[in-house]
Amino acid sequence: MTRPELGGLYAITPEMIDTSGLVTMTQQALTGGARLVQYRNKTAGTALRLEQAYSLAHLCRKFGVPFIVNDYLDLAVEVGADGVHVGRDDASVAEARRRLGKGKIIGVSCYNRLELAVEAERDGADYVAFGAFFDSPTKPGAAAAPMDLLDHARRKLHVAVVAIGGITSDNAGELISRGANAVAASSALFATGYIRSAAENFSRLFQSNPTADCLFPDHSSV
């Protein structure tokens, strides 16, 4: 995949055992306009994670949408994922770049701390993620991120900014207008009985917001 856009609806898959069901649900999100997909499963065993990651990677390739693996760098390498998302206890940006190679996407959780994002950008990350901006059923108790963090990030950073945490199509508009290139959603997509239409609602927010923008990873100096 060449120079993927980093913007729009970022679908975070739910944790579930049924691989076929997971693929079907993710396909509905992609049909509705999801522009990035992240596979996140903290509880599955190694074999199930491998099965699901391979299946989702294949699906995302059909849609021409980047497939990102959360946390598990080895898994991202094995399934040929388009990138990896790391947190404070995961592989470093440098290690991820060395293992994945030039042209892959590296995202970094920066929670509510702009200085972590500045460091991640300096280390070669392609996007940074801030949150939680709202109460999140996926990560209850996550540190709260103030809305004006996006204002500061837009002025300070040159990489894509992802907003995460309790985001719905009702509250995502302000995040986009304040500088989020992408909004990550899990429950607001996959815990509904209408995944495709929920994704379409998110996608329309980007289409109608004149400040919304997609960025392209710049690996020219990697």
Side-chain angles (χ1 to χ4, degrees):
M1 184 170 296
T2 303
R3 300 191 76 233
E5 293 182 357
L6 298 182
L9 172 60
Y10 193 169
I12 312 294
T13 62
E15 297 193 10
M16 53 191 295
I17 296 173
D18 179 8
T19 299
S20 177
L22 179 63
V23 170
T24 297
M25 292 167 69
T26 305
Q27 181 170 339
Q28 292 173 20
L30 287 164
T31 302
R35 300 309 306 150
L36 297 128
V37 170
Q38 182 185 126
Y39 174 58
R40 183 182 187 275
N41 197 327
K42 304 282 191 176
T43 58
T46 302
L48 180 59
R49 277 200 298 266
L50 188 61
E51 172 190 304
Q52 293 183 341
Y54 266 122
S55 297
L56 291 174
H58 177 70
L59 174 67
C60 289
R61 279 193 290 271
K62 288 172 58 177
F63 277 83
V65 168
F67 174 64
I68 311 298
V69 171
N70 180 278
D71 290 357
Y72 298 102
L73 180 55
D74 288 345
L75 180 62
V77 172
E78 184 161 0
V79 303
D82 299 298
V84 68
H85 181 96
V86 296
R88 64 164 62 96
D89 298 322
D90 303 319
S92 67
V93 173
E95 173 67 6
R97 179 64 67 204
R98 185 184 69 80
R99 296 281 308 282
L100 289 173
K102 183 178 179 179
K104 298 291 188 175
I105 299 168
I106 299 174
V108 179
S109 289
C110 297
Y111 313 102
N112 55 4
R113 296 173 58 187
L114 182 60
E115 70 272 17
L116 291 181
V118 172
E119 179 182 350
E121 179 181 67
R122 185 179 63 242
D123 291 344
D126 298 296
Y127 74 81
V128 295
F130 294 114
F133 286 97
F134 307 99
D135 291 337
S136 171
T138 303
K139 295 185 72 174
M147 197 70 69
D148 64 0
L149 178 59
L150 293 173
D151 301 319
H152 298 308
R154 180 161 57 179
R155 290 193 295 267
K156 187 80 172 177
L157 302 173
H158 299 92
V159 294
V161 172
V162 176
I164 193 168
I167 298 173
T168 69
S169 58
D170 292 328
N171 61 31
E174 184 177 2
L175 299 169
I176 297 168
S177 66
R178 296 185 78 149
N181 302 102
V183 294
S186 184
S187 296
L189 276 178
F190 295 107
T192 70
Y194 43 93
I195 298 170
R196 177 174 176 173
S197 60
E200 290 171 344
N201 289 338
F202 275 105
S203 299
R204 277 193 288 269
L205 294 173
F206 288 92
Q207 295 164 5
S208 63
N209 194 312
T211 65
D213 193 17
C214 292
L215 297 183
F216 294 91
D218 179 8
H219 299 122
S220 58
S221 61
V222 174

